[in-house]
Amino acid sequence: QASPFSTSGQQKQVMVEVHTGPIMETAAVVAKLAAAPRVQQQAAVPVIQVPEPDLSMELHEQLKRSFKELENSFSTAMREEDEEAPTMQTASAQAFAGSAVSEAIGMLKRFNPEATKETLSETVHGIIHSDALLGHLAKRSQVALRDYVPHDRAAWLAHDIESHAAAAKMQLGMWRANAVRTACLVRTRGVQVITDKGTYVIALSAGGGALLLGSTAGVVGVCGGMTSGALAGLLPALFTLGLSIPAGATVGGGVGGVLGTTAGTMTGFVGGGVAGGVAYRYRVEIKNGALFVRVKVRDAKAKAAKAVQQLQIKAANAGKTAKTQTNGTLKMISDKSSELACRAQAYTQAAATSAQTKASDLGASAKSLALNPAVQVTSAAAAGGAVATGVAGGAFGLVAGGAAGAAVGLVPAIFTFGLSIPVCAAIGSGTGACVGTAAGGTAGMVGGGAMGYGAYGAYSRRQEIKDSASEAWTRIGDVAESVKEMAKEKANISASFVKASLSSTGGTQ
């Protein structure tokens, strides 16, 4: 009986030649290998060989080409995501299987619109389980197609292939909806966990604890490990020439650092996370407790402030009373003191004005004396004499001190192998140079100043200098006498005033 999907006799003969050769044997072997695990799992169900579909060459090529295009399209969609999850790969394979079965059904209907549902089901069943039609597809695509259209028709969701495909598509849609719902729930839960402040607190607490305890324990572990390693290296130190001590310290420090850092990090991570979680979980209670303590402290502070305020009021009243009593006495004493101070200030200001006037006169005299050419020449001559005589005295002191030091160094030269002579000569020359320079400079300054003054003003200025000196001494004597008389007069006046005040106060009392 001819298949409804075959063409003329020549095409049928070609199909028979194609499907009756080695392809049949290969398909049978592959079918047996594919069905072997299912036979072991379901030993009671006999294996039914699916016959190869009798298709024309045109339809055969169209199906193969259509399956390959669909596979390429779904494979491209799967490659668009990097490292796609296995669940998404399975969903893509199932979607490819559903599209391929629907495409095969539609193509068979277009080729033979009058085919019955049973004929259509058998043909699709044979196509899906034929290695000749699906051998060019990937293994995952073949498995997905054969899972979509099971080998045993009893496992179908309906009696015919169209109803089975519709039911499978509905089931796949429900599975997709469940998967999408699950993914949405997971994503929502993940977002809630990620955006939860408690998660941030726990993460920060765990990270901080791990960092703190990890670093601390690492340092302690390195120190302890180095100490233990060095102590352990003491035993074989005799045989290793002491090299076992630094080697043991290095190994012990490394092991101790790793162990200490690991233990501290884990402990800090767990402890910090737990502490942060507990603190965040009971943050309301902790806040309420802190608020309660704050209220209690505030109440105690208010009571203490009230008691202090009462004490301050009492002290203020007592102070006011004492102040009122002492204000009278203080006012009387203040009035008397103010009067005395005003008088003393007036007298002091007058004396200061007079002294300032006298000092201004003396300053003017000293300035005119400093501008005198005789004084300037005297100063220059004194400086020149100090320099010349100081240099000569320094040279003489250097030579004389060196000679004296060398003479002194002759005594211990026997015991010092002659080294005391140059040492004492150097010390003596330095001392002599210093003393000679100082003495010569002083003598030169005095002598040069005297010679300069005598050379410049021995005849022409001596009378003027004499008159200026006499006038200066006279003014100084006058100022001193004036200040002395004024101070004596003011002291007498102040003493008389104080006596009068004290006598009047005593009489009043």
Side-chain angles (χ1 to χ4, degrees):
Q1 185 178 357
S3 172
F5 300 101
S6 60
T7 55
S8 60
Q10 185 178 358
Q11 293 179 349
K12 181 177 179 180
Q13 184 177 359
V14 173
M15 288 295 298
V16 171
E17 291 178 357
V18 171
H19 295 288
T20 54
I23 298 177
M24 289 292 292
E25 297 177 359
T26 306
V29 173
V30 174
K32 288 180 181 180
L33 293 175
R38 299 186 182 181
V39 172
Q40 293 178 0
Q41 294 177 1
Q42 302 176 358
V45 180
V47 179
I48 302 175
Q49 187 70 26
V50 179
E52 289 288 336
D54 188 9
L55 303 175
S56 63
M57 289 294 295
E58 181 183 359
L59 184 57
H60 187 277
E61 294 298 328
Q62 288 182 2
L63 286 172
K64 289 178 66 176
R65 186 168 55 254
S66 179
F67 288 162
K68 191 61 180 178
E69 291 176 356
L70 288 173
E71 184 186 33
N72 292 334
S73 63
F74 280 95
S75 297
T76 303
M78 286 190 291
R79 284 194 298 268
E80 289 178 355
E81 298 182 3
D82 189 19
E83 296 182 359
E84 190 177 11
T87 304
M88 298 302 297
Q89 292 179 356
T90 304
S92 299
Q94 289 180 354
F96 160 71
S99 300
V101 171
S102 299
E103 182 66 20
I105 293 172
M107 193 175 295
L108 292 174
K109 280 188 173 182
R110 288 193 300 272
F111 193 82
N112 187 11
E114 297 178 358
T116 61
K117 292 183 178 182
E118 182 63 24
T119 304
L120 191 61
S121 300
E122 289 292 338
T123 305
V124 173
H125 190 202
I127 291 171
I128 297 302
H129 293 277
S130 173
D131 286 340
L133 288 169
L134 302 183
H136 63 290
L137 300 178
K139 188 66 177 178
R140 184 173 57 189
S141 302
Q142 296 181 22
V143 173
L145 283 169
R146 287 163 185 172
D147 288 340
Y148 195 84
V149 180
H151 183 275
D152 187 7
R153 290 189 62 176
W156 286 17
L157 301 177
H159 294 290
D160 59 284
I161 188 62
E162 291 182 309
S163 301
H164 169 75
K169 187 177 295 185
M170 186 180 297
Q171 188 177 11
L172 182 61
M174 293 177 63
W175 181 85
R176 287 180 179 175
N178 292 331
V180 171
R181 188 183 304 110
T182 304
C184 291
L185 290 175
V186 170
R187 183 177 181 182
T188 304
R189 293 292 183 185
V191 170
Q192 290 178 356
V193 170
I194 292 174
T195 56
D196 188 16
K197 293 183 178 179
T199 305
Y200 292 158
V201 173
I202 293 173
L204 292 175
S205 301
L211 181 61
L212 179 61
L213 290 183
S215 58
T216 305
V219 173
V220 174
V222 169
C223 297
M226 291 181 68
T227 304
S228 302
L231 293 176
L234 288 175
L235 297 177
L238 297 176
F239 307 100
T240 61
L241 301 179
L243 295 177
S244 59
I245 298 176
T250 303
V251 175
V255 174
V258 172
L259 294 179
T261 303
T262 304
T265 301
M266 295 300 297
T267 304
F269 185 81
V270 176
V274 171
V278 170
Y280 184 78
R281 172 65 179 80
Y282 296 100
R283 64 187 185 280
V284 179
E285 289 80 0
I286 295 172
K287 185 177 181 180
N288 293 334
L291 184 62
F292 178 76
V293 172
R294 187 181 299 174
V295 171
K296 288 293 185 182
V297 171
R298 187 175 296 175
D299 292 341
K301 187 177 180 181
K303 291 180 181 179
K306 187 175 181 181
V308 171
Q309 186 176 7
Q310 291 178 357
L311 292 176
Q312 289 178 352
I313 292 173
K314 292 180 180 180
N317 294 330
K320 287 181 180 179
T321 303
K323 186 176 181 180
T324 303
Q325 293 176 356
T326 57
N327 276 339
T329 305
L330 293 175
K331 186 176 181 181
M332 182 180 63
I333 295 173
S334 178
D335 293 340
K336 297 294 183 181
S337 299
S338 298
E339 185 177 359
L340 291 174
C342 289
R343 291 182 180 181
Q345 184 178 5
Y347 293 146
T348 303
Q349 188 173 2
T353 303
S354 177
Q356 185 177 5
T357 303
K358 297 294 183 181
S360 297
D361 295 339
L362 291 175
S365 299
K367 184 176 181 181
S368 61
L369 183 62
L371 294 175
N372 194 347
V375 176
Q376 295 176 358
V377 170
T378 303
S379 300
V387 171
T389 313
V391 171
F396 179 76
L398 179 66
V399 175
V408 172
L410 287 175
V411 178
I414 300 174
F415 307 100
T416 61
F417 299 101
L419 294 176
S420 58
I421 297 174
V423 173
C424 293
I427 295 173
S429 62
T431 305
C434 294
V435 174
T437 301
T442 304
M445 182 178 66
V446 174
M451 290 177 65
Y453 177 76
Y456 183 79
Y459 179 78
S460 61
R461 298 294 183 184
R462 63 179 182 273
Q463 188 63 36
E464 184 179 354
I465 293 171
K466 184 177 179 180
D467 296 340
S468 298
S470 299
E471 184 180 357
W473 282 111
T474 303
R475 288 183 181 181
I476 291 172
D478 295 340
V479 171
E481 190 67 24
S482 176
V483 172
K484 183 176 179 181
E485 293 295 333
M486 189 177 294
K488 186 183 292 186
E489 182 182 357
K490 290 179 181 180
N492 292 331
I493 294 172
S494 298
S496 301
F497 181 75
V498 171
K499 287 181 180 180
S501 299
L502 291 176
S503 61
S504 64
T505 305
T508 305
Q509 292 178 354

